[in-house]
Amino acid sequence: MADVELKHVSKRYAHGRQTTETLRDVSLRVGDGEFVSLVGRSGCGKTTLLRIVGGFVDADGGDVLVDGSPVTRPGSDRGMLFQHPMLFPWLTVLDNTLFGPRATGRHSPQARARAMELLQIVGLGGFEFHYPKQLSGGMMHRAAFARAMMAEPKILLMDEPFGALDALTRAGMQQFLLDLWNRRRFTVILVTHDVEEAVLMSDRVAVMAAGPGQIIETIPIDLPRPRSYEMSETPEFVQLKRRVRQSVERARGKAPVSVMNPTAGH
Amino acid sequence: MSLQVIDASVVYPGQRGRSSTEALHAVNLTVEAGEFVVVLGASGCGKSTLLNLIAGFVAPTAGRIVLDGQNIQGPGADRSVVFQKHALLPWLNVRDNVAFGLSLQGRGKAERYKISEHFIEILGLRGFEDAPVYTLSGGMQQRVGIARALTCDPKLLLLDEPLGALDALTRERAQELILRVWDGSGKSVLLITHSVEEALFMGTKLIVMSPRPGRITHTFELSFSRRFLAGQTARSVKASADFIALREQVLQIIFADEEAA
Amino acid sequence: MGNTQGTATAGTSRPTEGAAPGATMMPLAAVPDVPGFRQRLGRRLAAIDWSRIWMGAIGIVTLVVLWWIAALVIGDDVILPSPLRTMDVMIRYLSKPYPSQGETLVGNTLISLARILVGFTWGALAGIFLGALMASVRPVRLIVDPLIELGRPLPPLAFIPLLIVWFGIGELPKIILIGVGVIPVMVVSVVAALDAVPEEYVEAALSLGATRSYALLHVRIRAALPAVITGLRLSMGLSWTSIVAVEMIAATGGLGYVILEASNYLITPLIFSGILLIAVVALFLDGLLRLLRRLVAPMG
Amino acid sequence: MSDNPAARPAAPVVERRGLLARLARARPTQPGEIYGVPGAGETRMLSIATIAVLIFIWWLSTTLGWVKPLFVPAPQAIVQDFVTILRRGYTGEPLWLHVGISTARVFGAFMLACLIGIPLGLAMGISPVMRGIFDPPIEFYRPIPPLAYLPLMIIWFGIGETSKVLLIFLSVFAPVALGARSGVRSAAIEQIHAAYSFGATRWQVLMRVILPSAMPEILTAMRIGIGFGWTTLVAAEMVAATSGLGYMVLSASQFLQTGIVIMGIIVIAAIAYMFDLIMRMLERRLVPWKGRM
């Protein structure tokens, strides 16, 4: 297991002669086995922050440390899950799961048995030889989980992993992730704009504001574990949810974003 | 206006050796004037088939659908549909999209623009009348879709997950807008949705459906939308204890269905 | 090249979403064997839609019958020989040279086929290489793009006279011409195919521990493969247009040459034979590429 | 949020990595582009510069005598040829006549193919009966290079204009008809259902939903078709004609008048380019929503 430390991270992007400051002086520590969510409106830089930890984007300033050593490139110690499952359509579910071992030259009968076991765990037993296109949205996400878990990452980075699912499937996937995390306790950074999801899953919620992107508040979620959906009716939960929401609203007040902008592309 | 779905079943014939599937099994449903009925269920529970049945796009294998004493034979302007997406005509501007239904009925230009004007106003599209629809955001496009359906002055408005493709915040705004438009219009609405919260917040009656075969398992009478229309904020309605309790109850029903499957 | 959306778009028939079990650990089920290559090939051959092939066969039979009736009505072998007469002539010339100092039909078919294969291969390889370079290295793209855009509407056949001036009427100009026609098509389709691969595919691979070169080969290029093969099919069609034209204008062998020779002496059945052989060989080559695409893109 | 382009980083500040690294990942975005959109950005200035450089190299290599004028004449020689041909014509006929004959042949055949092919393709898209009848012949002749049946056309219709126009007609017809046929599928089922739910008749749905939806694909097919027709024409004129650009270029090559050959190719390319520009302009005018909804 591993911890992540961000110290005074900044990032700019160039637009012609202008530059946009996407992140300014962001510091965050995610402890070993901790579940932290980044919440904020579109354009607040939360995805950029996640991609910096993933090693896909370099920070312009500050330090990004995983287990004390600086991040320079993507690596299998940090599993990445995207909004779309990004399964390779030309591989079966099993071959997708075995992509990591094959890429790193560690394919073996043991790896294969482990992959089969993982697919059982995520509820895809019997679908090993199906192609991704034959699965439903939720099943594809679970296969993507199995593929990421196969590399035994110490940290799981998730970029709105359930954003494209319908509400009911999403609830199922959240429960699934909670159960998985309860048993494995890996370190998680989850990017989401669903306040309820953040409160339900996390140990801490970091609220980000846009223009320039920064963390304005980190709210501890001291609800008991294991958690489940029933919890969301308790007064404590509702109160925390309100608190995060208010924080997000405050962040929005800082940098007004036009929601109903008619010409904004989708 | 009164719509009755009486013992309606839909069986899709199997293709290439696959067995046939029963999408709907003996469904009974009544929608009265001014009611806002919400149909909720997991994927594959037949709720879209139910909407297609009422809209007239699908014929029942058994049973019938009666609107004001007449059997439904096919689609008609008395039941306008708003779809999740892809339903606007990109070669027309906002005004002509809104007036599209009227122009199909052969109304003159002056008349249909005059009628459209009103709906452009109440759906907040003023100022965008001449914009091509493909330049609008998803939320705006959906409002054009609703305005277009309303111009035909339907007795029953059928909403097929109209907000499903919108982001969370735009979606909440749109829910409030639809409720305001419905309030006082005297129209009946049938809304299909995936979202339990949306269903509870908007409906006066909630229908929960179960898959394999699709059928209605539960019906609830609701009053949360009335609270909102009486002046309470949407957020406080959704945060109230009875709202949360009912939401949990409905979620339990749906998860139980899924596990049974 | 269609709109490439995320992979999460709905398929036609997929099992409905079940609840996520995960709380319970299930015992290891009996592990089924991995299907081998032979089995997979068999499965994909089985996926061929036979009813469409039957429909196609019926269509062709109808066409032949109509042809026969028309030939009987016209009753003039020069204008329209009957299918039987055409087959008769075709079989005779399969082993008999035409014109007398030339090659047999089989020989001419092989000549055309060899030209196509050589020209198509070098053109496709050059196009793929250039396209891959353009998709990856921006300066190359900026420089080559305008040239491709300018050259695309230009009919490659317009180069025939220039190639004759430069290289005479040997094999070289023919092979160059085919390549010249193929390259822009391949470049455009390779660039589009590589551009359409979502960056997240590569990122997913990297975060699973793949090296950059492994991700390039096994993910980026692999993901682009089906679209590249579609580009190859297009190019193959173009190659035929080029070769027939150049054989008619400047050659002493090949199917195009035979067709033109036959028309000079009004041996219409031989013209038909040439056309039929072109259709057969072209269909065969296209079929190979289609099979390749099926192997490369399981489930479409 | 990630479906919103603004949410994605706009342009990473210049990254320096190895060639392999750059091959493996998407290229960095330049200022003003939207991240992840392939091929975005203005290239006109660069295009002009590239062409200027090429012409300069051409001029340099001929002036310094690296290549013989018989193989590649100098640019100025080609301009001279152009002026001469413009004044005196080629084989007794002025250049504009060759150009005029070629474009007239293509344009006539193209119009004819559109007039017949588009309605027929639409009918094939709408009616299974029409599809059943016309699919086999079109699918059968489509893959055969048009030149292969040019001799048949000549036997059937003589060496005059009819056979050439018909040949080009056939080469344009297949792509246009098949484009219109598949264009029928472009209308979303929601659009069709919406129209029906407002009380539309079948005819209204056809005329006011399906037909406009098919427009983008029909225009694309027309663009491909005219390019194809032009290729076929040039080849046909080389094989069997006594006028037109293809004839001019081929006969010039037989007399080793390389300057006229290259000039002819440039004229052929310019006309092809013009056709393409006109079709693109039509697309922009008629179907501005293409690919945007």
Side-chain angles (χ1 to χ4, degrees), chain C residues 178-209:
Chain C
I178 295 174
V180 166
V182 166
I183 287 173
V185 178
M186 282 317 292
V187 165
V188 170
S189 67
V190 168
V191 170
L194 285 173
D195 277 348
V197 177
E199 204 192 344
E200 279 96 340
Y201 274 155
V202 175
E203 293 187 350
L206 294 178
S207 76
L208 291 169

Side-chain angles (χ1 to χ4, degrees), chain C:
Chain C
M1 220 101 308
N3 247 351
T4 324
Q5 300 169 342
T7 48
T9 44
T12 42
S13 68
R14 50 169 61 153
T16 38
E17 183 58 22
T24 50
M25 180 100 162
M26 276 170 246
L28 267 180
V31 180
D33 285 328
V34 187
F37 177 76
R38 197 174 280 247
Q39 275 162 291
R40 275 188 298 178
L41 182 66
R43 214 181 283 170
R44 277 167 211 167
L45 286 176
I48 292 172
D49 190 347
W50 290 105
S51 68
R52 267 195 64 185
I53 290 177
W54 274 115
M55 290 294 281
I58 292 170
I60 289 173
V61 168
T62 319
L63 216 61
V64 171
V65 169
L66 287 177
W67 172 10
W68 213 315
I69 294 169
L72 284 178
V73 170
I74 292 169
D76 182 347
D77 262 5
V78 171
I79 292 177
L80 191 68
S82 72
L84 198 68
R85 171 103 180 92
T86 306
M87 286 317 283
D88 186 41
V89 170
M90 185 162 154
I91 288 164
R92 180 164 3 126
Y93 284 109
L94 279 179
S95 55
K96 186 177 169 225
Y98 183 89
S100 50
Q101 71 278 19
E103 291 280 338
T104 61
L105 267 182
V106 173
N108 280 317
T109 308
L110 290 177
I111 289 174
S112 292
L113 186 64
R115 285 173 182 155
I116 286 268
L117 288 181
V118 176
F120 172 78
T121 308
W122 91 262
L125 286 178
I128 289 171
F129 178 75
L130 195 59
L133 210 61
M134 283 170 69
S136 313
V137 186
R138 192 170 167 80
V140 177
R141 183 190 197 122
L142 287 176
I143 291 167
V144 181
D145 226 18
L147 297 180
I148 295 286
E149 277 306 308
L150 268 183
R152 208 149 55 130
L154 174 66
L157 301 185
F159 284 112
I160 293 177
L162 198 60
L163 291 173
I164 294 173
V165 172
W166 285 349
F167 305 104
I169 57 164
E171 292 303 311
L172 195 61
K174 298 180 183 65
I175 285 160
I176 289 178
L177 182 78
I178 295 174
V180 166
V182 166
I183 287 173
V185 178
M186 282 317 292
V187 165
V188 170
S189 67
V190 168
V191 170
L194 285 173
D195 277 348
V197 177
E199 204 192 344
E200 279 96 340
Y201 274 155
V202 175
E203 293 187 350
L206 294 178
S207 76
L208 291 169
T211 59
R212 287 195 180 275
S213 50
Y214 188 93
L216 172 69
L217 197 66
H218 286 82
V219 176
R220 190 139 183 249
I221 291 177
R222 182 62 184 79
L225 220 48
V228 171
I229 293 175
T230 305
L232 285 176
R233 285 183 58 196
L234 260 176
S235 307
M236 184 61 93
L238 263 176
S239 304
W240 278 104
T241 309
S242 299
I243 195 65
V244 171
V246 80
E247 282 176 353
M248 283 187 169
I249 292 161
T252 52
L255 288 173
Y257 170 72
V258 169
I259 290 174
L260 201 69
E261 278 295 300
S263 83
N264 285 341
Y265 297 96
L266 296 179
I267 311 176
T268 314
L270 199 57
I271 301 178
F272 272 98
S273 308
I275 295 175
L276 278 176
L277 281 173
I278 289 176
V280 167
V281 179
L283 268 177
F284 171 72
L285 291 178
D286 192 56
L288 281 184
L289 286 172
R290 273 155 82 150
L291 188 69
L292 192 64
R293 192 177 191 284
R294 211 180 266 273
L295 286 172
V296 154
M299 312 311 301

Side-chain angles (χ1 to χ4, degrees), chain A residues 90-209:
Chain A
W90 57 89
L91 297 177
T92 60
V93 170
L94 179 65
D95 286 335
N96 260 290
T97 316
L98 285 170
F99 182 89
R102 288 206 172 108
T104 50
R106 280 196 285 261
H107 183 54
S108 63
Q110 287 81 2
R112 193 165 174 279
R114 222 180 89 69
M116 299 291 287
E117 188 187 325
L118 261 172
L119 287 174
Q120 287 281 348
I121 292 174
V122 300
L124 288 174
F127 290 97
E128 291 89 349
F129 299 112
H130 282 59
Y131 284 96
K133 279 195 179 153
Q134 294 168 291
L135 304 181
S136 68
M139 291 167 89
M140 283 199 268
H141 272 281
R142 279 185 265 144
F145 258 104
R147 185 175 70 175
M149 298 309 294
M150 199 55 201
E152 299 189 342
K154 295 182 254 178
I155 303 160
L156 215 49
L157 306 172
M158 293 189 272
D159 189 1
E160 289 187 59
F162 314 129
L165 296 175
D166 70 69
L168 294 170
T169 313
R170 182 157 60 218
M173 284 303 294
Q174 286 164 351
Q175 191 65 53
F176 161 76
L177 178 59
L178 274 177
D179 293 337
L180 199 67
W181 184 82
N182 262 334
R183 281 184 290 139
R184 305 273 169 115
R185 295 276 170 168
F186 32 77
T187 310
V188 178
I189 303 179
L190 170 76
V191 162
T192 180
H193 57 200
D194 181 343
V195 171
E196 180 156 320
E197 179 173 278
V199 173
L200 179 68
M201 317 282 286
S202 321
D203 295 319
R204 276 189 298 149
V205 175
V207 179
M208 293 188 69

Side-chain angles (χ1 to χ4, degrees), chain C residues 79 136 138 166 199-200, chain D residues 8 23 27 35 46 71 156:
Chain C
I79 292 177
S136 313
R138 192 170 167 80
W166 285 349
E199 204 192 344
E200 279 96 340
Chain D
R8 285 289 194 84
L23 285 171
R27 71 190 165 77
Y35 185 81
L46 203 83
F71 286 92
W156 290 342

